[in-house]
Amino acid sequence: MELKVFKWNQDSDGIVTLTWDDPDRTMNVLSSIAMRDLGAAIEKIASDASIKGAIITSGKANGFCAGAALDEMEGAAAGGGAPKSHEERVKAQYESMVVFNQLFRKLETCGKPVVAAINGLALGGGLEVTLACHYRVVADNPRIQLGLPESKVGLLPGGGGTQRLPRLMGAQNALGLIMQGTSLDPKTAAAQKVVHKVVPADQLIVEAKRWIKETPDPVQPWDKKGFEVPGGKPNDKGASTVFTMGNALYRKNSYNNYPAQRYILSCVYEGLAVPIDAGLRIESRYFTKLMMDPASRNMIRSLFLSMQDLGKGARRPANVPATQVKKLGVLGAGMMGAGIAYVSAQAGMEVVLLDTTQEAADKGKAYSVGLLDKQISKGRATEDKKAKVLGLIKPTTNYDDLKGCDLIIEAVFENREVKAGVTKKAEAQITDKAVFGSNTSTLPITGLSEASERPENFIGIHFFSPVDRMQLVEIIMGKKTGDYALAMAIDYVKAIKKTPIVVNDSRGFYTSRCFGTYVAEGQEMLAEGIAPAIIDNVGRMTGMPRGPLELADDVALDLAYKVREQTKKDLGAKYEAGPADTLIETMVAKLGRYGRKNLKGFYDYPEGGKGKKRLWPGLKDIVKFKVTSTTPDYVEELRKRFIYRQAIEASRCFEENVVTDPREADVGAILGWGFAPYTGGPLSVIDTVGAKTFVEECDRLAQKYGKRFLPGRLLRDMAEKGETFYGRFKPETKKAA
Ligand code: NAD
């Protein structure tokens, strides 16, 4: 028997240790080769009388198994290989799931005791393998994560997770874990009966062998006569409420946009009512249904594969050797500068945090104290760690302290002159190799770089607020920005464990520009006379994190008014005024309603931030509400307006070369402004609908609601040729043009 990713070792007691160590990957995954190996090993364990039991463990220092090989899965579900009909693909997918589950079933019914000795993270399929073992022992390391995170990428656990986990811990607990994709540390997992025992790392194999020799039991609980599901079967009194509540909660939280979560509920409900073999077939059917749904494939692509590629620096110029930011200068210790200092010090960088007064600089550092204290209170950091991180941040007003910085990021006021001033002062202190990054949210990078002596080393590094929580960083190439600056910016973003997208210079860059269309469409709807509660509710139902009117209040209405006025001036006769212009003008210029910042916007806000906000009753005096109730079709039309308006803007950014890689457009949208994640991103929306249908729909919307819906040349060309974004602009490693 030849194994490629497992090492086989049989000791003198007849105990086989299978050490999983895929030579071609840094982390073990359930690839087709791993499955083939596992099948051969189980065959041998079952049939060889000299084998008394087996242990499955990992040879990787960083984990046991990270789950399914999503790269293989996405290709197969999309119909990779020879062209197949839909029916053939469904059949092939279902059959492959049945074979997969039979393998795990064979493992747990092979007649020999099998132990999972879990020495690192076991997620998704990685945890499912261990659930098919008879005994699970985990190393005592709180950093080890055990869980089924599939629903986070639009999938459900297809290796028996929806069947075995509820049979171990009851439906209620299992549903909580599977639907939210939560992972547990070893001790919590043991308390919740996911694993049997937690032991010191060096005792893992000792304990596994002890169990096989002293108390082996090669029969799973659910294969024993008289087995009862903990907490009862779905129709039992008490247990049934789990499902009625679960269903209600699912709808409340997801607006029914996420089929994976709905199917997980069904798998558990239907599967617990029947024996495990039938339950596994039910799970395979739902899994197949999900894999055939383009929404799931889009989610896997954007939320996993693309994010992983970008996180690894897919857009990094290959010709520049690796760079490392050891010392970082942050100019401006306000909301953004303080956050940037915190995440950078967390990553081990020495940070100089500079402001105009020592008091302001100290206040910026104090922000890290607050965040670290919160981490400590949650048990996620120690006093030692706090001291270490804080020791790396030097608050100052002295530019001399910037000497030796590899990278500077300015986050001073959004004012061209102020930014030019700090650029010159900082550049006087740093070497020619150092890179200067600006965190501006609106000012074009090419213009800002005019203040620099070395525009090739000047780049946009645009963070999102709050910096410690937002995963995306938008890197902006000015006209003269060079490869070295791009490479360093990407290396830095990787080092602080965030996801970079690289875009070209333009007003609002990519994210702010597209996000603005969502907020603007909400205002157009209001100006048309659609009741504001309908607008914000449909916004959330569409999968956006908040309604457009509440977001407009947060961003500030006076700012939106100023931007509109500026755009009007810039575009002159080309500016297409809409009903929302008058609305915003009235709100800001006549009524002084600036949004949350002065507690008066589309909503009224309670003094002191305590209590709930309420829609401002006076709105009805400035807008005549014509639509105060809706039909499902009408809701669908509003949803379409929200999604299509943003997708058209994303396609324009593509046409104008602001974004050049579909992965960045999609990932940037989801991580940057919360674009409905279940769609896979705005370009995935267009590809899924099909450019031709999308263009026809946009023409219809343009006729009905205004020219803002008119598709551009690129979309029309793609519609004519039947192209997709991911086909026409095949993602590859490249530098922004
Ligand atoms: P802020 O007003 O909270 O902080 C700005 C800080 O810069 C203040 O502490 C101020 O004292 C300091 N500063 C001003 N002039 C200075 C100078 N000459 N030298 C040194 N320090 C100086 O603003 P913020 O929200 O942190 O925004 C900073 C930058 O980040 C702006 O360019 C903004 O557009 C951009 N940005 C903001 C957000 C956001 O959500 N707030 C998001 C992305 C980008």
Side-chain angles (χ1 to χ4, degrees):
M1 181 184 52
E2 208 179 300
L3 302 178
K4 182 156 186 260
V5 300
F6 285 93
K7 289 193 190 85
W8 173 283
N9 181 293
Q10 186 172 343
D11 71 9
S12 53
D13 292 322
I15 298 176
V16 170
T17 303
L18 275 174
T19 307
W20 197 346
D21 195 355
D22 190 332
D24 297 328
R25 299 188 189 244
T26 50
M27 172 67 94
N28 294 325
V29 291
L30 269 175
S31 60
S32 47
I33 295 173
M35 305 284 289
R36 189 203 59 196
D37 273 12
L38 204 53
I42 296 167
E43 209 58 68
K44 172 104 176 125
I45 292 164
S47 60
D48 187 335
S50 74
I51 297 173
K52 303 293 176 235
I55 300 166
I56 305 178
T57 193
S58 159
K60 302 277 188 214
N62 58 351
F64 178 83
C65 169
L70 285 178
D71 46 355
E72 287 182 5
M73 271 168 65
E74 196 236 8
K84 292 189 190 101
S85 68
H86 176 74
E87 286 70 27
E88 283 170 327
R89 283 197 287 128
V90 172
K91 192 162 175 276
Q93 178 70 52
Y94 176 68
E95 281 168 1
S96 75
M97 294 314 290
V98 170
V99 170
F100 177 35
N101 273 301
Q102 278 168 349
L103 179 72
F104 285 4
R105 199 65 189 121
K106 194 140 196 201
L107 172 65
E108 65 185 2
T109 58
C110 72
K112 308 276 173 71
V114 183
V115 181
I118 309 166
N119 51 341
L121 70 81
L123 295 174
L127 183 67
E128 287 175 306
V129 182
T130 75
L131 295 177
C133 296
H134 305 102
Y135 187 64
R136 284 169 293 286
V137 53
V138 196
D140 186 7
N141 174 356
R143 294 164 76 100
I144 291 180
Q145 297 173 41
L146 305 162
L148 298 173
E150 285 86 344
S151 68
K152 288 189 173 164
V153 290
L155 278 178
L156 61 83
T162 68
Q163 301 306 305
R164 292 190 180 89
L165 205 58
R167 282 171 169 83
L168 280 171
M169 63 192 315
Q172 183 166 5
N173 289 342
L175 277 172
L177 285 186
I178 306 175
M179 286 179 74
Q180 280 157 34
T182 325
S183 42
L184 306 174
D185 61 41
K187 287 205 168 118
T188 317
Q192 299 203 11
K193 300 200 164 46
V194 180
V195 298
H196 296 87
K197 198 163 184 180
V198 182
V199 298
D202 60 0
Q203 293 299 302
L204 261 188
I205 301 298
V206 176
E207 170 59 17
K209 289 192 173 178
R210 182 206 63 76
W211 184 82
I212 292 174
K213 283 193 251 176
E214 293 174 14
T215 51
D217 181 359
V219 183
Q220 293 279 38
W222 39 89
D223 287 325
K224 291 197 166 109
K225 234 181 148 172
F227 169 70
E228 304 253 351
V229 178
K233 285 189 173 184
N235 285 331
D236 292 351
K237 216 171 162 209
S240 59
T241 49
V242 169
F243 292 91
T244 36
M245 289 300 291
N247 211 359
L249 268 178
Y250 156 72
R251 299 224 166 221
K252 176 174 177 279
N253 294 334
S254 72
Y255 296 95
N256 203 17
N257 285 325
Y258 293 83
Q261 296 189 330
R262 192 167 73 235
Y263 293 172
I264 288 167
L265 264 169
S266 301
C267 284
V268 177
Y269 182 81
E270 294 171 31
L272 285 188
V274 294
I276 188 139
D277 286 302
L280 291 170
R281 284 195 298 274
I282 289 170
E283 183 190 87
S284 293
R285 281 193 205 108
Y286 278 111
F287 188 90
T288 303
K289 220 169 134 160
L290 209 47
M291 284 302 285
M292 291 303 123
D293 185 337
S296 295
R297 298 209 300 272
N298 289 343
M299 276 179 81
I300 297 174
R301 181 172 63 196
S302 294
L303 297 176
F304 184 79
L305 300 172
S306 300
M307 219 179 269
Q308 199 178 45
D309 289 350
L310 299 176
K312 282 185 189 161
R315 292 292 308 281
R316 189 185 185 286
N319 57 337
V320 182
T323 68
Q324 193 189 359
V325 176
K326 291 197 181 119
K327 186 172 175 184
L328 173 78
V330 180
L331 312 183
M335 186 164 95
M336 298 305 286
I340 296 166
Y342 170 74
V343 295
S344 306
Q346 277 276 8
M349 292 168 206
E350 186 186 343
V351 181
V352 177
L353 182 57
L354 184 145
D355 210 298
T356 43
T357 64
Q358 190 61 38
E359 197 190 349
D362 288 342
K363 191 170 162 223
K365 179 169 175 174
Y367 181 73
S368 288
V369 178
L371 288 179
L372 285 160
D373 282 343
K374 221 188 228 167
Q375 294 281 324
I376 293 173
S377 72
K378 289 183 182 158
R380 293 198 196 127
T382 58
E383 288 293 341
D384 254 17
K385 163 102 192 197
K386 177 179 163 186
K388 216 169 169 184
V389 173
L390 293 179
L392 287 169
I393 304 176
K394 177 171 187 180
T396 185
T397 57
N398 186 353
Y399 278 79
D400 284 348
D401 290 332
L402 297 175
K403 282 202 167 67
C405 280
D406 308 291
L407 174 69
I408 303 278
I409 299 178
E410 72 76 12
V412 297
F413 296 142
E414 189 74 342
N415 174 298
R416 231 181 279 272
E417 285 71 43
V418 179
K419 288 193 189 294
V422 299
T423 305
K424 285 189 198 312
K425 281 196 210 158
E427 279 192 357
Q429 302 299 329
I430 54 180
T431 66
D432 284 349
K433 275 215 105 178
V435 170
F436 191 98
S438 171
N439 182 45
T440 175
S441 32
T442 53
L443 303 170
I445 293 301
T446 308
L448 290 182
S449 75
E450 282 163 15
S452 166
E453 293 285 320
R454 310 114 6 107
E456 69 284 0
N457 272 10
F458 195 101
I459 193 162
I461 305 182
H462 179 210
F463 285 83
F464 295 77
S465 173
V467 177
D468 59 301
R469 289 220 304 271
M470 296 296 283
Q471 183 57 29
L472 189 75
V473 178
E474 190 175 25
I475 295 175
I476 304 123
M477 300 291 285
K479 276 217 173 67
K480 294 188 181 161
T481 308
D483 274 358
Y484 180 75
L486 174 59
M488 181 176 272
I490 291 182
D491 290 345
Y492 164 72
V493 174
K494 260 172 73 178
I496 56 168
K497 297 198 172 64
K498 297 203 182 281
T499 307
I501 62 166
V502 183
V503 309
N504 289 316
D505 213 2
S506 136
R507 208 176 168 78
F509 313 126
Y510 169 62
T511 51
S512 308
R513 180 171 157 179
C514 294
F515 162 74
T517 60
Y518 170 60
V519 175
E521 196 56 26
Q523 292 167 11
E524 299 292 347
M525 289 177 183
L526 182 61
E528 283 167 29
I530 300 170
I534 294 177
I535 297 168
D536 271 3
N537 281 336
V538 176
R540 286 187 294 265
M541 284 164 71
T542 305
M544 301 300 294
R546 332 249 333 255
L549 301 178
E550 46 185 0
L551 274 172
D553 271 2
D554 285 356
V555 175
L557 299 181
D558 57 330
L559 187 70
Y561 177 60
K562 272 187 218 149
V563 172
R564 272 175 200 255
E565 289 302 300
Q566 187 60 48
T567 316
K568 252 189 229 173
K569 245 193 234 158
D570 292 350
L571 295 185
K574 281 200 208 140
Y575 185 79
E576 196 204 343
D581 291 74
T582 324
L583 172 72
I584 292 294
E585 187 174 351
T586 310
M587 292 286 284
V588 176
K590 293 205 181 122
L591 301 166
R593 300 191 70 88
Y594 298 161
R596 190 187 275 273
K597 69 192 212 189
N598 74 344
L599 308 179
K600 291 188 296 188
F602 293 120
Y603 289 80
D604 276 331
Y605 298 84
E607 291 282 348
K610 288 210 175 84
K612 272 181 124 178
K613 66 179 191 289
R614 285 180 56 226
L615 271 165
W616 175 47
L619 265 180
K620 63 178 178 326
D621 301 326
I622 54 170
V623 181
K624 189 167 164 13
F625 297 159
K626 295 181 205 144
V627 182
T628 51
S629 70
T630 55
T631 60
D633 281 0
Y634 191 76
V635 168
E636 209 36 54
E637 177 82 346
L638 297 186
R639 280 175 79 119
K640 203 173 257 178
R641 283 175 66 176
F642 282 137
I643 292 282
Y644 280 31
R645 175 94 192 262
Q646 296 172 77
I648 292 173
E649 198 62 23
S651 77
R652 285 193 191 118
C653 287
F654 224 91
E655 182 171 322
E656 292 166 25
N657 208 28
V658 176
V659 260
T660 57
D661 184 324
R663 293 173 300 184
E664 292 179 309
D666 278 347
V667 170
I670 296 171
L671 296 185
W673 76 93
F675 184 85
Y678 65 90
T679 61
L683 298 188
S684 287
V685 167
I686 302 176
D687 279 3
T688 305
V689 173
K692 186 166 175 289
T693 311
F694 185 80
V695 163
E696 283 165 6
E697 259 314 88
C698 290
D699 281 335
R700 179 185 72 78
L701 292 170
Q703 240 190 0
K704 208 161 167 191
Y705 305 107
K707 281 191 199 152
R708 61 186 183 277
F709 283 101
L710 276 183
R713 262 181 302 112
L714 172 65
L715 273 177
R716 291 200 190 278
D717 188 50
M718 286 172 58
E720 216 163 87
K721 295 179 178 149
E723 288 176 338
T724 60
F725 276 98
Y726 280 84
R728 178 163 169 159
F729 303 97
K730 265 204 177 42
E732 50 180 290
T733 306
K734 60 188 172 185
K735 163 179 168 346

